[in-house]
Amino acid sequence: MTAISNSSNGNVSERVLELRKKIHDAEYVDYAVQRIAQVLSRKLVEDSETIYSGRKNEPK
């Protein structure tokens, strides 16, 4: 067990308690992972466009 799961609920915010419940919901976790992948993919594409737009001899 982790220190987080051993802590008493009196010292934990409502948001933390809500998230603890959500991580046991497979549908919520699937959506969260998909969203993270989407954001990271978009960032990688944006970064690569910035890199390639700075090169003079590379096709766009």
Side-chain angles (χ1 to χ4, degrees):
M1 287 201 169
T2 64
I4 294 173
S5 63
N6 289 332
S7 65
S8 67
N9 289 345
N11 297 339
V12 180
S13 71
E14 289 295 318
R15 179 71 176 141
V16 171
L17 294 174
E18 177 186 343
L19 291 172
R20 283 183 182 173
K21 289 179 186 176
K22 286 183 177 182
I23 63 171
H24 295 290
D25 178 2
E27 197 172 305
Y28 174 82
V29 173
D30 287 344
Y31 175 79
V33 169
Q34 287 178 356
R35 182 69 180 127
I36 291 167
Q38 208 173 35
V39 169
L40 289 174
S41 296
R42 185 176 300 127
K43 180 67 175 154
L44 288 171
V45 169
E46 288 172 358
D47 287 351
S48 69
E49 287 174 352
T50 301
I51 290 168
Y52 286 118
S53 67
R55 295 182 181 174
K56 293 181 180 179
N57 296 327
E58 289 287 330
K60 290 185 181 179

